[in-house]
Amino acid sequence: MKKGLIIVLVFVLSFGFLQVATNLTSQGETLTATAKGFGGDVTVTLIVDGDDIVSVTAAGPSETQGIGSNAIDQLPAKIAEADSADVDSVSGATLTSNAIKQAVRTALGIESAEQPAEEPVKETSAQPIPEGALTATAKGFGGDVTVYVVVDGDDIVSVTAKGDSETQGIGSNAIDQLPAKIAEADSTEVDGVSGATVTSNAIKKAVEEALASAGTSSEATEGALTATAKGFGGDVTVTVVVEGDNIVSVTAKGDSETQGIGSNAIEQLPAKIAEADSVDVDGVSGATITSNAIKEAVKAALEAQ
């Protein structure tokens, strides 16, 4: 009798343990899939519970740091929160975002039903070259960027840019958007396109060179003061327009300064100096040497008048 009770007890306990193990495993199934990103493969790992996406992680070591890596870091959590791959891509990282979403769909077995259409390639070379335009070329991210600038006296009437080797969805955005901004502002002192700093800088540099080739400048430079100081990578030259004791405008050029560091000072600090009407302003964080060069050159220009 006791032996029978023991057998029954063992059976009940074994069944209970089996149920617990089954419940634990049923709480999450792990799925993986891979899709092609911008720099290479992007792999996602999902934990799903029935129709619910419990968590998503992504790995893409070949994606561009600061661009595609943003999608790797941010998008999986959005997908898990939305319980769907139908979420907005991370700005400036369309290709990596699409790869993550495609891999998620593939892992869930719905790729064929909901795979996003391939992003169309924009034809930049189809733009007509304006008659009588000034032209110049500068080095972009993927290759040469060429601009065509139409001027009327000191006014920039229009700007067209071409850069067939620039990254689609990143540099191509600068090619499409920045020329109109320069023409509208009548100056290259405009913000670059987010996520496309190298291409943006190439466009602005090429426009400056095109204008210089005709003896024109993107700023009113009559009676301007110029001076040069040593930056981090090479010479930094400033052009200062003054009216009496007031600093009307400052522009700076330093093609050898580090992109994303010294170039930030080149782009940001001149406006601060003009606004403060003084070189006694804070330098740009992380670009102390270039900032000091700009301020030293402005000071030298002012002292030379």
Side-chain angles (χ1 to χ4, degrees):
M1 181 66 177
K2 288 182 179 180
K3 186 176 180 180
L5 288 174
I6 292 172
I7 292 173
V8 171
L9 182 60
V10 169
F11 176 77
V12 170
L13 290 174
S14 298
F15 181 77
F17 284 129
L18 180 61
Q19 282 294 105
V20 170
T22 301
N23 289 338
L24 287 174
T25 57
S26 66
Q27 287 177 358
E29 178 185 3
T30 301
L31 306 172
T32 62
T34 298
K36 190 70 174 176
F38 174 76
D41 287 341
V42 173
T43 300
V44 300
T45 302
L46 288 72
I47 297 178
V48 298
D49 184 6
D51 292 331
D52 296 327
I53 300 175
V54 178
S55 68
V56 182
T57 57
S62 299
E63 301 307 282
T64 307
Q65 288 299 313
I67 303 177
S69 63
N70 291 343
I72 296 290
D73 295 339
Q74 301 168 22
L75 199 59
K78 292 183 179 180
I79 292 172
E81 183 179 1
D83 209 27
S84 170
D86 296 324
V87 296
D88 290 337
S89 298
V90 172
S91 177
T94 304
L95 296 181
T96 307
S97 297
N98 286 346
I100 294 170
K101 292 190 281 187
Q102 179 182 336
V104 168
R105 292 185 175 100
T106 300
L108 294 172
I110 55 176
E111 178 186 10
S112 58
E114 298 185 34
Q115 183 178 358
E118 183 177 352
E119 186 174 346
V121 176
K122 297 177 181 177
E123 184 59 60
T124 57
S125 60
Q127 299 178 34
I129 297 174
E131 184 178 354
L134 307 171
T135 182
T137 299
K139 190 70 175 178
F141 181 79
D144 286 341
V145 173
T146 301
V147 300
Y148 304 90
V149 186
V150 176
V151 298
D152 182 6
D154 291 332
D155 295 328
I156 300 174
V157 177
S158 69
V159 180
T160 306
K162 294 184 180 181
D164 297 339
S165 299
E166 300 307 280
T167 307
Q168 289 298 319
I170 304 176
S172 65
N173 291 344
I175 295 290
D176 294 339
Q177 300 168 22
L178 195 59
K181 291 183 179 181
I182 292 173
E184 182 179 3
D186 206 29
S187 168
T188 57
E189 298 299 320
V190 296
D191 291 336
V193 172
S194 178
T197 303
V198 176
T199 307
S200 296
N201 287 344
I203 293 170
K204 292 192 276 187
K205 178 181 177 183
V207 170
E208 286 288 348
E209 291 182 358
L211 295 171
S213 71
T216 308
S217 171
S218 63
E219 294 290 336
T221 57
E222 185 177 353
L225 309 169
T226 62
T228 298
K230 191 69 176 178
F232 180 80
D235 286 341
V236 173
T237 300
V238 300
T239 302
V240 186
V241 177
V242 297
E243 185 177 319
D245 293 330
N246 297 321
I247 299 174
V248 177
S249 69
V250 181
T251 58
K253 292 184 180 179
D255 297 338
S256 299
E257 301 308 280
T258 307
Q259 289 298 319
I261 304 176
S263 64
N264 291 344
I266 296 290
E267 293 170 3
Q268 300 169 21
L269 196 59
K272 292 184 179 180
I273 293 173
E275 183 179 3
D277 204 28
S278 169
V279 294
D280 294 326
V281 295
D282 291 335
V284 173
S285 177
T288 304
I289 296 177
T290 308
S291 297
N292 287 343
I294 294 170
K295 292 191 279 187
E296 180 183 337
V298 171
K299 185 177 180 180
L302 294 173
E303 290 175 349
Q305 65 176 321

